[in-house]
Amino acid sequence: MSKPLLIALDLQHRGKPGKWRDRGASFEGRDELDYTTVVCNAADDRLRELGHECVVISDGDYSDRWNRSSRYGAGIHVAMHWNASGTPDMGDRGEVY
């Protein structure tokens, strides 16, 4: 196995200053934050099974999250977001940056 990585998982739609209650759009009774949390937790579990270390960042401004990721020494920063548009042309999908 290759050397384990420290991976920062950035849980979007949570903790942005001035929008602490922003959970994103809702679709079929669930908020974007609900979907993002499920995907983030699954990624965290799987990456740990593969021998990597993870840190979940879920608060602060976006630039602060990136800076914190660097301070932790993360080799990879994954910003996780989910769109709960409810429209066929946009779809309901996850996005990873």
Side-chain angles (χ1 to χ4, degrees):
M1 180 175 149
S2 61
K3 182 180 174 184
L5 293 170
L6 175 59
I7 302 167
L9 301 175
D10 183 354
L11 181 59
Q12 301 282 298
H13 268 300
R14 181 155 175 222
K16 189 172 181 184
K19 293 188 173 185
W20 295 116
R21 295 176 189 241
D22 176 18
R23 297 180 53 86
S26 292
F27 179 67
E28 294 183 351
R30 296 188 77 184
D31 299 326
E32 290 176 344
L33 178 59
D34 297 330
Y35 291 105
T36 305
T37 300
V38 168
V39 173
C40 184
N41 289 339
D44 183 36
D45 290 344
R46 183 64 179 135
L47 289 166
R48 288 177 190 279
E49 286 174 7
L50 294 171
H52 300 293
E53 293 182 48
C54 297
V55 60
V56 177
I57 300 171
S58 63
D59 63 326
D61 196 299
Y62 299 123
S63 61
D64 178 55
R65 293 175 190 204
W66 278 96
N67 290 336
R68 202 163 356 138
S69 175
S70 294
R71 285 194 305 271
Y72 289 140
I76 298 174
H77 180 107
V78 181
M80 307 177 97
H81 181 83
W82 197 273
N83 288 321
S85 65
T87 60
D89 57 333
M90 289 291 290
D92 298 313
R93 65 190 186 280
E95 297 176 342
V96 176
Y97 301 98

